Amino acid sequence: MSLTPPTSPVDDSALLIVEPPARFGLTTKTVKPTVHRVGVSQDGDWYLYGETAKTKNRTPVEALATPRILDVQVVVHATRTSDFGPRPYLDVTMLGETPAIRYILTLPCAYADPRTGARHTPFSVRSLLGCLATVDLASTPLKLEPSRGAKATFTNVYLDPDGLQQVRADRIGDSEADLQAAVDTCRSSLGLPAQFGLPSAAAEQLELPYADEQES
């Protein structure tokens, strides 16, 4: 799936769509962007949310070449739980084929060790954030592509649409503090306020935003 860059800057809070000229001038209306959530299966395939990773006839998403990443944050999906309660996800919001389309790559960003119950950050998220944190996200177009590894499914990051210039960086640490620091680094690169810019004791009590479960 190839996403074509827009021809003009986009106001992400509300899109003004210009209607055909009326008799006495132009009319405008505000349109909420259409949002598609993208998940990843254990086989290294991306699919559109609303389906499951086990569905055979899922809609494939081979690669996302986006002119702009708009947001990086951790959210809680209320209807999806884990061994330690509502499950937090990493959401990477990207501009779609047109200014009225958004794609959100949604990855689980915490799991519990079945033996100890300790909380860990998946390799898939640690690897992706390690790459994104080294890129000027506000001005650099990227191509994201899934890749199945020996123990996890990764998201490769490229600086070109042909996938020739791969971003290589060390993955972030395993702790929750490392996750929060990397997310805030990406948000700073986008010119967004920090999500976790708090002392560690206060960050543990931070209420994470809940995702809109009605998005497709």
Side-chain angles (χ1 to χ4, degrees), residues 41 54 60 76 85 93-94 100 104 108 110 112 114-115 126 155 183 194 199 209 214:
S41 72
K54 297 181 181 180
V76 170
T93 303
M94 298 168 284
I104 302 181
R115 296 169 299 177
R126 294 170 60 188
T155 301
V183 168
Q214 295 182 350

Side-chain angles (χ1 to χ4, degrees), residues 37 39-40 42 47 49 53-54 73-91 106-114 118-125 151-152 176 179 195-196 206-213:
R37 287 191 175 271
V40 62
Q42 294 179 348
Y47 60 92
Y49 262 63
K54 297 181 181 180
Q73 65 173 329
V74 174
V75 301
V76 170
H77 291 267
T79 59
R80 302 181 179 94
T81 61
S82 64
D83 293 338
F84 41 83
R87 192 173 194 179
Y89 280 71
L90 177 71
D91 274 7
T106 298
L107 301 173
C109 63
Y111 70 94
D113 187 309
R119 179 185 178 122
H120 296 282
T121 303
F123 281 109
S124 56
V125 169
K151 296 183 179 181
E176 188 173 8
L179 171 70
Q195 183 178 8
F196 300 105
L206 187 67
E207 292 186 3
L208 297 176
Y210 278 77
D212 184 355
E213 297 294 341

Side-chain angles (χ1 to χ4, degrees), residues 49-176:
Y49 262 63
E51 306 164 357
T52 69
K54 297 181 181 180
T55 302
K56 293 183 178 180
N57 294 323
R58 59 180 176 268
T59 303
V61 181
E62 295 181 359
L64 292 173
T66 175
R68 184 180 173 195
I69 288 180
L70 302 175
D71 195 3
V72 177
Q73 65 173 329
V74 174
V75 301
V76 170
H77 291 267
T79 59
R80 302 181 179 94
T81 61
S82 64
D83 293 338
F84 41 83
R87 192 173 194 179
Y89 280 71
L90 177 71
D91 274 7
V92 179
T93 303
M94 298 168 284
L95 193 62
E97 299 96 327
T98 72
I101 296 177
R102 301 285 187 273
Y103 287 94
I104 302 181
L105 175 60
T106 298
L107 301 173
C109 63
Y111 70 94
D113 187 309
R115 296 169 299 177
T116 66
R119 179 185 178 122
H120 296 282
T121 303
F123 281 109
S124 56
V125 169
R126 294 170 60 188
S127 173
L128 175 59
L129 284 176
C131 292
L132 294 182
T134 66
V135 178
D136 182 359
L137 298 178
S139 60
T140 306
L142 298 173
K143 176 182 179 180
L144 306 184
E145 189 172 60
S147 174
R148 181 180 180 181
K151 296 183 179 181
T153 301
F154 298 92
T155 301
N156 292 333
V157 181
Y158 300 94
L159 298 174
D160 64 301
D162 296 324
L164 301 178
Q165 303 178 49
Q166 184 173 357
V167 177
R168 299 188 181 276
D170 293 334
R171 60 177 178 262
I172 67 170
D174 184 37
S175 72
E176 188 173 8

